[in-house]
Amino acid sequence: MPSGKRGRFPIGTPVLDAARSLGVYVESVCGGRATCGRCQVSVQEGNFAKHKIVSSLDHISVKGPKEDRYERVRGLPEGRRLSCSATVQGDLVIDVPQDTVINAQVVRKAATDRVIERNPAVQLCYVEVEEPDMHKPLGDLDRLKAALEKEWGWKDLLVVPHLIPQIQKILRTRLPDQPEVSEGKWGVTAVVHRDTESARPFIVALYPGLKNEAYGIACDIGSTTIAMHLVSLLSGRIAASSGAANPQIRFGEDLMSRVSYVMMNPDGREAMTKAVREAVNELIGKVCAEGNVNREDIFDSVFVCNPIMHHLFLGIDPTELGQAPFALAVSGALQFWAHEIGIEVSRGARLYMLPCIAGHVGADAAGATLSEGPHRQDRMMLLVDVGTNAEIVLGNKERVVAASSPTGPAFEGAEISSGQRAAPGAIERVRIDPVTLEPKYRVIGVDKWSDEPGFEEAAKLTGVTGICGSAIIEVVAEMYLSGIISEDGVVDGSLAERSPRIVQNGRTFSYLLRDGEPRITVTQNDVRAIQLAKAALYAGVKLLMEKQGIDHVHTIRFAGAFGSFIDPKYAMVLGLIPDCDLSEVKAVGNAAGTGALMALLNRDHRREIEQTVRKIEKIETALEPHFQQLFVNAMALPNKVDPFPKLAAAVPLPPRKADDAGATPGEASPRRRSREERAARRARS
C-alpha cells in the first residue's frame, strides 16, 4: 500500500525485492546495506477480508544485525522496518510511508478560478472599548459587547468559554504600529462567527489592536486523496492549495474494504479516524507553510466527503453503510467546533460539513452539485464523479435524481495487471495505429510521446512503470477502435499473425503495450475489469435517465481529480457515458472542493445546498430489478443496444464482431451472457 500491488513470493524474499518486482518504487541509495534508511516500510496488522489474508508482525523476519545497527546509530520510527533487510515470512500488507516515497502519487486537485461572491460566516470587527470607570460598573466583556453592538450592530453575542479568562489581558495589551485610539479607550479586533441569521453570533477570538486577515479551509476528503484550499475570508483570495494521499488506503483500497476492516478489527474505526484526522492536520500545516499563514488564523472550515469518509472523519462507525438499507448516522449538514474532533486550527474555529444526499451519495456529491448547479439549469445535465464509488446526479431546475454506482478501483489502476496510480513514470495517454497495431504513449513526467526522438533518454529519470487510470480508458478504447477487441471486449487472437503486439496468454490473448522492464501488457482480464467498472457506471446513468423519462442528455460534466484527465471522446467510445455532443462534455476538476469553497466564502450557498439536497430524489440501484439488464447491455463497447449517433459522427466506430462461435454480430454468446448477468448481480449487491 498505497499502490495496491499484490503478488506471491517465496519465504525469505526481502521486502524490497518483492516491492520492486511488483513495480512499486521504494527508494534505496545504499544498495541494500541498511545504511541510508530510505527503504523504510511498515506492516499493517489485521484481517484484510478483501485480500483474504491476515497480516501480522509475526509474518516478517525479526530485526537482524544490520537493522539493529541502523536503529542504534540513526534511529527508526516506531513500527518502521528497513525493507532491504526485512524478509517475507508469511502473509503481509506492507505500507510504504509517503515521507519515504520520492515518486509519490501526483495528487492533481487544483484550485478553481471561479469568482465567488463573498458572504462568509466570519467577520473581523475592530472596535474601541471604553476603559473601566468606577462610575460605570460594567465588566470588560460587557463593555466589549456594547461597543460591538454600537459600531457593528451585533446583538446577543455569545463568547467561546476559553476566551473569557483572556479578555482583560487582551484589552490592556498595546501593540506598536497600531491605529491611534481615542483617549480613554482600548482598540481591539473581535472575530465574530454567525452562520444562519437566526443563530446567535459568537465571539470566537479577540486580538489587541487591528487585525486585518482571517482564513478558512475548504477540504475534500476522498477515498484516495485529500484536497485542501486555504482561503482569505476577507478577500476570497486562495492563499494556497495542496493535496495528499488518504492514509486510510492502507486499510483498504475501496470503501467497502474499509467497512470490512472496521467490522473485522475492533480498533479499526479508531485507527482510520486517527489516520485521516492526522492527514488533515498535516495538510493544514502544508498549505499554511505554502501561504505563509499562521494556522491559528484559521477561523472557519468546510468539509465534503463521501458517506464512509464522512463517518470515519467524524468518528462514526460506518458498518451500517456496508449493508442494506445503507443507513447514514446523520445525513443533514453539521456544525461544531473544529477542535472537538482534533482539527488543529484556531481554538474558536468552526467546522461545517455539507449534507449527504443518501447512503452512498455523500457530501462530496452535494458539493459538486452546488458547484455545477444542475438544479439551476434549464437543460438536462449529467454530473458524474468517477472514483472507486461513482456518484451520479442528473437533472435540471424541474427535478434532480441521484444514484451511486460501484465502479471499484479499476479506473485508479487497481485490479489491472500493470495498473498504478497517477505518478511519475505512469503511462497516461495511448494511441494505437489501426493498420500496424503499433502503440505510442505519453508518460507522466516526460514531455515527449514514445515514438519521438529522445523519449527513452528522457524516460530514464522516471522509468515507464505502469498504466494509470486515464490511460487505461484510452488503451481499451483504442484497442476497440483498432479492432484488437470486439464490442464484447474479447481480444482477437487471430491478429497475432499480423502483429507481435498480440501475445498469447494461456487460453486468452493480451496486447503488448511496452516491451521493456517492466513489460507492460493489457490482458483479457484487464479489459474485463474495465468493462465491469464502466458497465456499473453506465447502468446507473441509464437508470436515472429512465427515471427522468429521457433518452438523451444535453450536457455532461466529469467531476473529480480523475475526471479532469479523462478524454471525453474515449470515455464515450468506452461507453462510460451516454451519447452526447462532444463539445458539451467537459471536465470540471474537483467540483466537490469547489462546492466546499463556495460554502466557505458564502453562507448563502450553505442554505442553497441544504434546501437542494432535501429535494433530490435518491435512486437505489440495488433495489431496481432493471439494473441487471442495463448492466449486461453496458458490458459491450460502447453499448449493446443504445445508439451513439453523435459519437459515430465524430469518430469512425468499427463494425461489430462476434466473440464466440454461434453468436451473431451484436449478440453475446449464452456463456458470456451468463457471466455478465452474474457480474450484474454482484454489482447490485
Side-chain angles (χ1 to χ4, degrees):
M1 294 297 186
S3 69
K5 294 292 186 87
R6 55 185 71 83
R8 295 181 177 274
F9 301 92
I11 287 178
T13 301
V15 173
L16 179 62
D17 292 351
R20 286 180 169 175
S21 69
L22 290 172
V24 176
Y25 188 89
V26 179
E27 188 179 16
S28 177
V29 176
C30 65
R33 296 180 178 85
T35 57
C36 71
R38 291 176 176 263
C39 66
Q40 295 177 29
V41 298
S42 59
V43 175
Q44 297 300 315
E45 290 192 283
N47 187 331
F48 293 81
K50 179 177 179 179
H51 308 307
K52 297 184 173 63
I53 66 170
V54 175
S55 177
S56 166
L57 288 173
D58 296 335
H59 297 168
I60 196 167
S61 60
V62 297
K63 291 178 182 175
K66 290 182 178 179
E67 266 189 295
D68 282 336
R69 184 184 70 246
Y70 181 89
E71 186 172 26
R72 187 172 61 253
V73 176
R74 303 276 297 277
L76 268 175
E78 185 176 352
R80 295 279 181 90
R81 297 293 304 271
L82 298 182
S83 61
C84 64
S85 297
T87 61
V88 176
Q89 300 296 319
D91 291 342
L92 286 169
V93 173
I94 294 290
D95 180 42
V96 183
Q98 294 301 294
D99 59 1
T100 69
V101 176
I102 302 303
N103 285 15
Q105 181 185 355
V106 179
V107 180
R108 309 197 230 190
K109 294 195 176 183
T112 181
D113 56 2
R114 181 179 305 193
V115 176
I116 301 169
E117 184 180 349
R118 197 181 61 79
N119 181 23
V122 168
Q123 187 174 348
L124 297 190
C125 303
Y126 177 80
V127 291
E128 292 187 350
V129 180
E130 290 186 356
E131 293 182 4
D133 187 324
M134 291 185 67
H135 301 290
K136 298 177 182 178
L138 274 180
D140 287 352
L141 174 57
D142 303 275
R143 293 196 312 282
L144 170 63
K145 288 182 178 181
L148 285 165
E149 181 174 353
K150 178 182 178 182
E151 297 184 33
W152 292 90
W154 291 113
K155 296 181 179 180
D156 298 323
L157 279 161
L158 298 171
V159 183
V160 291
H162 74 271
L163 191 59
I164 294 175
Q166 305 171 34
I167 286 176
Q168 289 192 312
K169 181 179 180 181
I170 294 169
L171 285 171
R172 288 162 176 77
T173 300
R174 293 185 180 272
L175 300 177
D177 302 321
Q178 287 290 321
E180 288 291 328
V181 182
S182 304
E183 184 69 29
K185 293 189 177 183
W186 296 319
V188 292
T189 302
V191 182
V192 180
H193 183 286
R194 181 168 69 178
D195 187 350
T196 63
E197 294 301 326
S198 60
R200 289 181 67 182
F202 267 95
I203 301 174
V204 297
L206 187 67
Y207 293 88
L210 175 66
K211 184 175 182 61
N212 58 7
E213 194 58 282
Y215 292 89
I217 55 170
C219 186
D220 171 19
I221 303 177
S223 54
T224 306
T225 59
I226 304 172
M228 183 179 290
H229 304 309
L230 175 67
V231 192
S232 165
L233 296 176
L234 275 67
S235 67
R237 175 182 63 90
I238 297 177
S241 297
S242 191
N246 187 334
Q248 289 182 350
I249 201 166
R250 64 177 179 258
F251 301 100
E253 290 171 1
D254 56 44
L255 297 172
M256 286 301 103
S257 296
R258 295 180 206 178
V259 174
S260 174
Y261 188 87
V262 170
M263 294 171 70
M264 296 194 170
N265 297 275
D267 60 348
R269 200 279 304 156
E270 290 85 350
M272 280 192 269
T273 296
K274 182 172 183 281
V276 72
R277 289 179 181 175
E278 286 178 350
V280 166
N281 284 327
E282 288 175 11
L283 204 49
I284 291 171
K286 188 176 179 181
V287 293
C288 284
E290 183 182 327
N292 194 27
V293 171
N294 187 327
R295 68 196 305 151
E296 292 296 324
D297 288 341
I298 296 173
F299 300 108
D300 203 7
S301 59
V302 175
F303 285 80
V304 293
C305 333
N306 63 55
I308 289 171
M309 292 302 96
H310 171 282
H311 278 41
L312 289 172
F313 177 63
L314 297 178
I316 302 169
D317 189 321
T319 300
E320 291 299 325
L321 291 170
Q323 57 200 1
F326 314 111
L328 289 155
V330 56
S331 57
L334 295 172
Q335 286 201 58
F336 41 85
W337 303 107
H339 73 83
E340 290 180 337
I341 61 169
I343 303 305
E344 296 170 3
V345 288
S346 169
R347 180 73 188 277
R350 296 288 286 173
L351 187 150
Y352 176 84
M353 179 75 76
L354 265 70
C356 290
I357 296 174
H360 282 293
V361 186
D364 52 350
T369 300
L370 176 62
S371 171
E372 299 312 306
H375 58 289
R376 299 189 288 263
Q377 307 288 325
D378 291 319
R379 301 192 303 163
M380 190 63 67
M381 174 187 282
L382 172 64
L383 174 62
V384 181
D385 190 338
V386 183
T388 51
N389 183 65
E391 293 167 318
I392 312 162
V393 179
L394 176 68
N396 56 21
K397 64 183 182 182
E398 300 298 327
R399 183 189 182 202
V400 180
V401 293
S404 62
S405 209
T407 52
F411 287 136
E412 296 186 347
E415 299 179 353
I416 304 297
S417 60
S418 297
Q420 67 167 88
R421 300 193 186 281
I427 295 172
E428 62 172 344
R429 292 280 178 259
V430 178
R431 301 291 182 268
I432 298 175
D433 188 300
V435 177
T436 65
L437 305 187
E438 285 298 304
K440 66 176 182 178
Y441 46 83
R442 287 281 298 269
V443 171
I444 296 176
V446 180
D447 292 333
K448 298 177 182 293
W449 283 86
S450 61
D451 62 344
E452 293 178 344
F455 170 81
E456 290 296 339
E457 188 66 27
K460 286 181 181 178
L461 294 173
T462 62
V464 182
T465 54
I467 313 172
C468 73
S470 60
I472 290 167
I473 287 176
E474 290 192 7
V475 73
V476 174
E478 281 278 330
M479 287 169 70
Y480 171 62
L481 291 175
S482 59
I484 295 171
I485 58 176
S486 67
E487 69 152 3
D488 288 308
V490 178
V491 180
D492 187 349
S494 67
L495 295 176
E497 299 175 1
R498 175 177 146 195
S499 171
R501 294 283 173 180
I502 310 302
V503 181
Q504 188 161 7
N505 184 17
R507 297 177 62 185
T508 62
F509 290 84
S510 302
Y511 178 72
L512 179 60
L513 183 58
R514 176 179 170 84
D515 193 5
E517 184 56 44
R519 197 166 190 251
I520 298 174
T521 61
V522 181
T523 69
Q524 183 65 71
N525 285 340
D526 294 340
V527 175
R528 187 66 67 227
I530 292 301
Q531 285 181 279
L532 290 168
K534 74 99 177 178
L537 176 53
Y538 189 93
V541 171
K542 190 68 177 177
L543 196 62
L544 295 190
M545 291 173 67
E546 290 185 351
K547 295 294 182 182
Q548 288 278 25
I550 60 173
D551 59 8
H552 70 282
V553 297
H554 297 117
T555 182
I556 299 175
R557 297 290 181 265
F558 273 122
F562 178 52
S564 300
F565 296 90
I566 296 176
D567 186 311
K569 179 181 79 172
Y570 290 108
M572 205 172 291
V573 169
L574 191 68
L576 192 66
I577 52 176
D579 192 48
C580 184
D581 188 332
L582 285 172
S583 66
E584 290 287 353
V585 184
K586 293 181 171 60
V588 292
N590 183 17
T594 301
L597 192 60
M598 292 169 66
L600 176 68
L601 288 174
N602 192 325
R603 53 202 176 114
D604 293 338
H605 287 311
R606 303 183 186 187
R607 309 293 85 78
E608 177 189 352
I609 194 57
E610 289 166 6
Q611 293 167 14
T612 300
V613 163
R614 286 193 284 269
K615 297 175 184 177
I616 293 176
E617 299 172 42
K618 172 61 168 67
I619 309 301
E620 183 53 66
T621 56
L623 302 178
E624 298 290 336
H626 192 40
F627 178 83
Q628 182 170 320
Q629 186 56 52
L630 294 173
F631 182 97
V632 171
N633 294 340
M635 284 289 288
L637 279 71
N639 192 277
K640 186 70 69 179
V641 297
D642 288 352
F644 281 73
K646 292 177 180 173
L647 174 65
V651 181
L653 298 177
R656 290 181 169 180
K657 294 182 180 181
D659 68 306
D660 283 288
T664 60
E667 179 186 1
S669 67
R671 185 174 68 245
R672 187 167 306 286
R673 281 200 304 271
S674 176
R675 287 200 298 269
E676 291 167 351
E677 287 166 358
R678 288 198 300 272
R681 286 193 293 271
R682 286 197 298 273
R684 285 182 61 202
S685 62

